[in-house]
Amino acid sequence: MLYISHSQALSLCILLTLCNHVINAYKYNPNPNPINNLCPITNDTNIVYSMVNGVGPASIRWVQDYLWWWKSYDNTINYMGLTAIDFQNCNFADYINLRIYVNPGGDAYDQLEALTSTGTSNIINFITRNQTNPSAYVGFCAGTYIASHDYIWETLYEGVDYYKYKENPPMSLFPHMVEGSIVDIGDDEFGDKVGYKHRLVNVSNGHQMLYYGGSTFGYNGALDYTDKSSGLGVYDEDIEVVVYYSDFYGFNSVNIPAAWRYKHNMFLTSVHPEADNCTHWEASPNVANDCPPPGTIPTDVILQNRAWLAT
């Protein structure tokens, strides 16, 4: 049985492969949170995730399943999904026991529009608050696009000057351009020959993870910010690549990031290491079920990826 200590579980940084900075600084504060009857966050809530319009139904399910699995090993974890209204009413930075914000995958445009500038400001203020009360951002797939400064979507630049982002641009918590989808793996606009927009890919830790249109850098238009020798002045020492893609349909590719850390409190992914087979789950009425077909991710692969996130 997997055992995680109380302090590790509360910080959730091992869970989400974040750094020791947040773990070592964590101390539970029993004092009540600011009184705000409009915000559902409680003094015991230590992780929240987005459920706004634009978050994919499967992505919500994956995050819920993952956190449920983790909580089954330590019931001190208290997580909560938040609606668009909650993002307007909750000043996350004021909740001193809140440690992790998770942004699932889906449609980056729709999510930013649903969050509005108030919601994104509340996220930014939380992630950048004084580290005596550590905080962290975890972005899966669209959560990485949203955290970036700007991005290229299948050759089209989309950033602060893009017409869809005049009022609600990406948050620039990761202050660089990213690029997706990685069409050499999967074309999120058109899918493959049978219409699938996902693919189980090999990554450098020896695992397989689901790719569903996520972003990266050092690919085509987005520069490699980890390359000291490029001479382009874009090297960023605060980026630590955690895993790389291993192949694109059999062609070796060892330098395209699949997941990375930024500074002390951000974990961003191109892949979906949290994904499982939610095939038989029924989405809400009138909501498309974007779960992969049955058996897409073998059970042993799902558990292997969960263990990787938890170590």
Side-chain angles (χ1 to χ4, degrees), residues 42-196:
T42 72
N43 196 50
D44 292 326
T45 306
N46 44 42
I47 182 168
V48 294
Y49 60 91
S50 176
M51 297 178 62
V52 303
N53 180 51
V55 176
S59 291
I60 291 177
R61 187 70 175 186
W62 292 336
V63 168
Q64 291 172 336
D65 287 352
Y66 189 85
L67 293 175
W68 170 87
W69 173 83
W70 186 263
K71 186 174 176 66
S72 70
Y73 291 104
D74 194 312
N75 63 12
T76 58
I77 292 174
N78 291 291
Y79 58 90
M80 176 182 295
L82 300 179
T83 67
I85 294 175
D86 297 331
F87 279 91
Q88 311 308 302
N89 293 330
C90 297
N91 186 359
F92 303 144
D94 289 342
Y95 292 85
I96 56 179
N97 291 323
L98 182 62
R99 287 292 177 264
I100 301 286
Y101 168 71
V102 179
N103 203 116
D107 188 309
Y109 309 122
D110 291 344
Q111 290 189 46
L112 284 166
E113 184 177 33
L115 288 168
T116 76
S117 59
T118 299
T120 55
S121 292
N122 284 335
I123 296 169
I124 292 168
N125 291 338
F126 170 67
I127 301 304
T128 59
R129 74 181 178 185
N130 189 313
Q131 286 302 299
T132 56
N133 294 310
S135 58
Y137 180 104
V138 175
F140 295 121
C141 196
T144 299
Y145 286 103
I146 288 170
S148 70
H149 179 268
D150 51 3
Y151 56 84
I152 298 171
W153 176 253
E154 300 202 358
T155 74
L156 177 66
Y157 172 77
E158 300 180 9
V160 292
D161 295 324
Y162 184 58
Y163 77 99
K164 288 190 175 183
Y165 289 144
K166 288 293 186 182
E167 296 182 2
N168 300 299
M171 293 187 286
S172 201
L173 288 166
F174 179 67
H176 299 289
M177 177 188 291
V178 294
E179 180 178 10
S181 62
I182 307 172
V183 294
D184 293 298
I185 298 177
D187 189 332
D188 197 70
E189 288 289 333
F190 303 104
D192 62 14
K193 62 183 179 181
V194 295
Y196 291 156

Side-chain angles (χ1 to χ4, degrees), residues 182 184-187 192 196-202 208-213 245 247-251 271-272 292 296-297:
I182 307 172
D184 293 298
I185 298 177
D187 189 332
D192 62 14
Y196 291 156
K197 295 184 177 183
H198 61 268
R199 177 180 172 229
L200 203 60
V201 296
N202 298 315
Q208 290 186 308
M209 297 180 184
L210 196 70
Y211 178 77
Y212 219 142
Y245 288 101
D247 66 81
F248 291 167
Y249 285 102
F251 293 95
V271 286
H272 281 283
T296 297
I297 314 174

